[in-house]
Amino acid sequence: MLDNILGYNRTTWATGILILFVSYVLLRYLRAASRRILPCPPGPPMRPFIGNIMDIRVDKPWLKLTDYKYKYGDLVYFQGLGQSMLVLNSLQAMTDLLEKRASKYSDRPIFIFGNELMGLNRYLTFCDYNDEWRAQRKLAHTALSPTAVKGYHVMQEDSAAIFARDLLRAPENFNPLMRLTSSKIILAITYGIPMDTPEDKYITQIEELAKVGVKAVMPGTYLVDLLPILKYAPSWVPFQREAKWAWDMTELAIARPFEYVKRELEAGTAPPSFVQQLLTDPLDDIADFERRVKWAAGSMYGAGAESTYVTVIIFFLVMALYPDKQRIAQAEVDRIVGTDRLPTIEDRSCLPYVNALIKETMRWHPIMPLGVAHRSSEDDEYEGYFIPKSTVVIPNVWSIAFEPNEKYEPQAFLPERFLDPSHPTVDPSMWMFGFGRRICPGSVLAENSIFITIATLLASFDISLPDTGELKPQFSSFQISYPEPFDCRIVPRSGLKASIIEARAAQSTI
């Protein structure tokens, strides 16, 4: 009897959903058709009812979208199921729309799973261009001013030295050690949480949450983002259970470190940090101040930890694959920094090849091949094409990174390309940290962390292929494309280097 009732209820629910969905699609189509004068940009062939929108739901979509560039051009358009997506395949198109027309393209996509069900739109990174975004952005700029960023230099240098010391003791654990280091340095900068705090107290929950988050912001990952009516599905549906867990975990992960800072402030023992600075000297013109500080801090942690971690892990990979480039960079460090100390952030401007190597690491495999999607807030026209309101706009930065070059092979790892003014290569920092009004306010902080970690590794270690002599790079297909687990050999360059690492780490104050 119970099975019959449940079966009837589920069938009735599904039928109602289908009717509502068909009505939704027809309404969207008729509204778009009534506004359209120019044609939409070209794209793959359309199928009845679903259009071509499902073409984006493939493994590593940036590869297919880059292929489409040479078939359809810099603008590739997808539509169907009441949705529209526009892929930008050139830096010119990204600059023209996302920067020069930022007032029209600063909203974020309406990810039903990520925003409405999981609550990611409470973060600065994912909220629309509105009063909430402006308030959090102001907080971030206030606490990440040039003077404030310089104040974190020693902390970042300490973190790199501690990571090097840990590698001396357990080089085979380079991946989890880097994951832990990148998380702890951001916790220290954002909340003043000491780096010797057990990782399970704050980091474990955030890492579990991140696994869902990187899927939730990948266009097409969850069917509910293409069929919004599915958000009314019963709570027993698997994606609803996953979203409920993520919502609760997000609340906990954001609240715990924030409350730690408040307790330390009350006790008069709060060390300098992003949150400590804002709570000590609050901005009178921002309403709901504490809540907005809490979410701005959460955004800073999420963006900073991942960008540093993934970039450094890719660095390990390319150094094992290209030892000749490693030797050139090491020689520059030895020549400029010397052999009796570790590099500092102040050395950055004097190490052009190291900087070029870091840029090439970012270009060789962009950690976010499709950037972070934008959304048009009104109808627009560009290059003779019509772009409807609420179109999801995806900057395919992979296509920029692998733009054909008459002198340098895009697939090759060649830091020298960034030192050759006769064949300029687009600096990855122009697309790694976002576009227009959505550029990450912590980009300078992240670049400093990446630089000092990599420079310290170059000064301290030789990285080479594993004992098997084989290394085949593989990467995940999420919004952030992580290297699949791999092995490599990491040994100190000398006994003296090992001693210098131990001594520098012992001086750390974090």
Side-chain angles (χ1 to χ4, degrees):
M1 180 66 177
L2 181 60
D3 290 342
N4 290 336
I5 293 173
L6 287 175
Y8 173 77
N9 286 340
R10 293 185 184 185
T11 301
T12 302
W13 170 80
T15 302
I17 290 293
L18 180 60
I19 292 172
L20 289 172
F21 169 68
V22 171
S23 302
Y24 167 79
V25 170
L26 288 175
L27 179 61
R28 287 289 298 268
Y29 175 80
L30 291 173
R31 289 181 61 189
S34 67
R35 299 193 308 265
R36 187 182 307 170
I37 300 175
L38 298 172
C40 288
M46 305 285 286
R47 302 179 186 88
F49 190 65
I50 63 171
N52 59 7
I53 198 76
M54 302 300 285
D55 281 28
I56 206 167
R57 299 189 76 214
V58 295
D59 184 57
K60 297 180 176 63
W62 48 86
L63 300 178
K64 188 172 185 178
L65 295 175
T66 300
D67 287 341
Y68 281 159
K69 172 180 180 177
Y70 302 104
K71 189 172 184 178
Y72 301 108
D74 292 345
L75 308 179
V76 183
Y77 188 68
F78 299 85
Q79 60 181 321
L81 303 176
Q83 307 291 317
S84 61
M85 293 186 185
L86 177 64
V87 176
L88 308 180
N89 281 321
S90 72
L91 183 61
Q92 184 65 56
M94 296 174 198
T95 301
D96 287 346
L97 296 184
L98 305 183
E99 294 191 2
K100 294 181 180 179
R101 304 186 190 182
S103 62
K104 297 181 180 181
Y105 291 94
S106 290
D107 279 347
R108 289 301 192 202
I110 304 173
F111 289 125
I112 303 301
F113 184 92
N115 289 351
E116 292 192 31
L117 303 182
M118 186 177 169
L120 288 180
N121 57 348
R122 293 173 290 179
Y123 289 102
L124 171 64
T125 308
F126 300 111
C127 70
D128 270 344
Y129 181 65
N130 52 25
D131 290 341
E132 181 67 25
W133 178 87
R134 280 183 279 272
Q136 288 195 35
R137 180 81 171 186
K138 183 173 183 178
L139 291 170
H141 276 299
T142 299
L144 294 175
S145 65
T147 300
V149 168
K150 286 183 179 180
Y152 297 126
H153 283 186
V154 173
M155 191 182 296
Q156 291 171 303
E157 292 160 2
D158 286 352
S159 172
I162 292 171
F163 176 50
R165 180 204 63 195
D166 292 344
L167 278 181
L168 283 175
R169 300 172 181 178
E172 70 281 2
N173 292 334
F174 70 95
N175 196 319
L177 284 174
M178 188 60 227
R179 164 65 78 183
L180 194 59
T181 297
S182 63
S183 296
K184 286 195 169 186
I185 184 59
I186 293 297
L187 279 175
I189 291 172
T190 307
Y191 302 103
I193 295 173
M195 288 194 68
D196 59 358
T197 301
E199 58 266 27
D200 59 353
K201 190 167 184 180
Y202 296 102
I203 296 174
T204 303
Q205 293 174 332
I206 296 174
E207 297 302 335
E208 290 299 314
L209 182 63
K211 294 177 183 178
V212 180
V214 295
K215 294 190 299 179
V217 295
M218 185 72 169
T221 299
Y222 289 93
L223 191 59
V224 67
D225 290 328
L226 298 177
L227 303 176
I229 200 70
L230 292 179
K231 68 182 179 181
Y232 299 110
S235 59
W236 46 259
V237 175
F239 79 82
Q240 292 279 29
R241 293 200 301 268
E242 185 179 11
K244 178 62 168 62
W245 173 88
W247 179 284
D248 294 340
M249 188 62 69
T250 298
E251 290 281 356
L252 183 61
I254 290 294
R256 290 184 69 191
F258 183 78
E259 292 302 322
Y260 163 85
V261 181
K262 291 183 66 176
R263 290 194 300 271
E264 292 295 302
L265 281 171
E266 291 175 1
T269 56
S273 70
F274 175 91
V275 174
Q276 177 269 342
Q277 178 184 342
L278 290 173
L279 293 184
T280 301
D281 189 16
L283 304 182
D284 296 334
D285 58 341
I286 293 183
D288 205 2
F289 184 76
E290 283 200 6
R291 180 188 63 79
R292 285 171 163 163
V293 171
K294 180 170 69 174
W295 287 100
S299 300
M300 182 173 166
Y301 174 86
E306 291 303 297
S307 62
T308 302
Y309 162 68
V310 182
T311 302
V312 175
I313 293 302
I314 294 175
F315 165 80
F316 278 110
L317 180 62
V318 292
M319 290 300 93
L321 291 171
Y322 303 100
D324 55 326
K325 307 305 179 185
Q326 178 180 197
R327 286 191 291 270
I328 296 172
Q330 288 173 328
E332 182 180 73
V333 172
D334 292 346
R335 185 173 65 255
I336 301 300
V337 176
T339 57
D340 58 350
R341 68 174 177 91
L342 296 182
T344 67
I345 293 175
E346 292 299 319
D347 296 318
R348 183 178 175 185
S349 61
C350 302
L351 296 170
Y353 193 86
V354 171
N355 284 301
L357 186 145
I358 293 171
K359 291 177 183 179
E360 181 69 345
T361 299
M362 295 174 176
R363 185 208 66 85
W364 186 77
H365 188 90
I367 68 173
M368 298 183 69
L370 297 179
V372 180
H374 293 230
R375 178 170 59 90
S376 59
S377 57
E378 58 184 86
D379 291 345
D380 198 14
E381 298 177 6
Y382 179 68
E383 295 293 316
Y385 294 112
F386 175 70
I387 303 173
K389 178 182 178 180
S390 292
T391 295
V392 174
V393 181
I394 300 173
N396 180 16
V397 301
W398 186 273
S399 68
I400 304 174
F402 289 89
E403 184 77 33
N405 187 302
E406 62 184 23
K407 185 173 182 180
Y408 297 106
E409 169 59 42
Q411 304 297 331
F413 186 84
L414 296 169
E416 291 78 5
R417 73 176 78 235
F418 290 100
L419 301 173
D420 184 356
S422 67
H423 289 78
T425 301
V426 177
D427 188 333
S429 64
M430 293 185 66
W431 41 257
M432 181 172 176
F433 299 104
F435 295 90
R437 297 173 183 174
R438 304 307 301 234
I439 291 177
C440 175
S443 59
V444 174
L445 194 72
E447 288 184 293
N448 284 343
S449 284
I450 291 168
F451 166 79
I452 194 58
T453 304
I454 288 178
T456 299
L457 292 172
L458 288 168
S460 306
F461 297 96
D462 287 321
I463 303 166
S464 57
L465 293 172
D467 293 336
T468 61
E470 295 184 359
L471 184 54
K472 297 181 178 180
Q474 299 290 332
F475 293 85
S476 69
S477 188
F478 299 133
Q479 179 75 9
I480 299 177
S481 184
Y482 301 91
E484 299 291 352
F486 64 92
D487 294 322
C488 63
R489 293 185 72 246
I490 304 170
V491 297
R493 294 178 64 191
S494 68
L496 176 61
K497 287 291 185 183
S499 299
I500 292 172
I501 292 169
E502 292 282 4
R504 177 63 184 82
Q507 299 171 4
S508 169
T509 60
I510 57 177

